[in-house]
Amino acid sequence: MKLYDGGRAPNPRRVRIFYAEKGIPLPEIVPVDIAAREHLTPEFARINPARRVPVLVLDDGTALAETMAICRYLEGLHPEPALFGATPKQAALIEMWNRRIELGLFASVTAVFRHSHPSMADLERQVPEWAQANRDMVDDQLTLLDLQLAGSRFLCGEELSVADISAGIAIDFMKPARIALPEEFANIRRWHAELSSRPSWRA
C-alpha cells in the first residue's frame, strides 16, 4: 500500500494519528506538496480526481480518497482498539459526534483558514465574508463540544474514538486559522491537553 500524504494538513494528520492509535505501521508514504500544487497535477488527478489528500492506494490499485473511508478500511482490517465503537450504541454515538464535528467545527475552522489565510490566496478563490461568517459560528460549535466533554473523559465515553481525533485536529487547526480558543472552555482545554500528550499526536 501507499499513502499519499499532505504533511501537516489536517486530514492527512487524522489518518496518521488513526494508524498510530491502532498500532499499525504506516505504509509507504508518498509526500504531496500542497504549497507546490502537486495535488493539482494531472498525475495526481489520475489517482484522485477530487485532487485532495490523503489517498490510500491498496495493493490492487484501489484508491481510497476520503479520510473516514481510509479509517473505516483500517478498522475493518484491525478491529482493536475499536475506534468506531465496539457495540451498536457506541458506534452510533461515535458516528453522531464525528459528523457533528466534521460538519460543524471542522468545516468552520477549515473555511476560515481557506478563505482568510495569506498562504491560501494562490490556491483558493478567497471570499473574506465567508471566512467571517464561519468565524462567527466557531464559538457555538465549541460550546457544544465543551458541554459534551463536561460529562466524560472523551467525547463518547472513557475511551478515545475517531470522533476525538477529528475534534482534536479541528482544535489544532484553529491555530493556523488564527482563531483563539477562549479561556472559558475548560473541558476542551483539559481534553485537548490529554490528546496532545498521546504519542499518536506526534504522527
Side-chain angles (χ1 to χ4, degrees), residues 14 18 68 71 83-84 94 98 160-167:
R14 281 203 286 170
F18 194 89
M68 284 300 104
C71 292
L83 298 182
F84 281 90
I94 291 167
N98 195 64
L160 179 133
S161 74
V162 72
D164 294 287
I165 296 173
S166 293

Side-chain angles (χ1 to χ4, degrees), residues 18-188:
F18 194 89
Y19 264 98
E21 287 290 342
K22 283 287 188 182
I24 310 169
L26 285 168
E28 177 185 349
I29 298 291
V30 182
V32 178
D33 189 336
I34 296 173
R37 301 188 178 195
E38 290 181 358
H39 62 301
L40 302 179
T41 63
E43 293 78 13
F44 187 76
R46 283 194 286 272
I47 299 166
N48 180 18
R51 300 182 179 189
R52 295 281 188 259
V53 287
V55 182
L56 181 65
V57 178
L58 309 184
D59 292 338
D60 67 359
T62 301
L64 302 177
E66 296 294 333
T67 299
M68 284 300 104
I70 294 170
C71 292
R72 285 191 179 277
Y73 176 76
L74 296 173
E75 179 99 342
L77 294 178
H78 305 274
E80 298 296 333
L83 298 182
F84 281 90
T87 68
K89 180 180 176 180
Q90 287 177 339
L93 287 170
I94 291 167
E95 179 74 16
M96 178 179 76
W97 276 101
N98 195 64
R99 282 186 62 80
R100 284 179 175 174
I101 293 300
E102 286 194 315
L103 298 175
L105 181 63
F106 201 105
S108 289
V109 173
T110 300
V112 172
F113 179 81
R114 291 175 66 179
H115 289 276
S116 68
H117 199 281
S119 69
M120 294 299 292
D122 292 335
L123 294 170
E124 191 82 40
R125 184 177 177 182
Q126 291 184 318
V127 181
E129 295 82 2
W130 184 235
Q132 187 57 50
N134 278 276
R135 190 181 295 274
D136 293 342
M137 290 189 282
V138 168
D139 270 7
D140 287 343
Q141 301 297 331
L142 291 173
T143 298
L144 186 68
L145 179 61
D146 197 72
L147 286 170
Q148 176 65 10
L149 288 167
S152 60
R153 179 184 176 192
F154 294 108
L155 259 176
C156 299
E158 296 306 302
E159 301 295 333
L160 179 133
S161 74
V162 72
D164 294 287
I165 296 173
S166 293
I169 291 299
I171 297 295
D172 282 354
F173 201 37
M174 287 171 61
K175 184 175 181 178
R178 301 175 181 178
I179 303 170
L181 176 63
E183 290 292 335
E184 62 262 28
F185 293 121
N187 297 309
I188 293 177

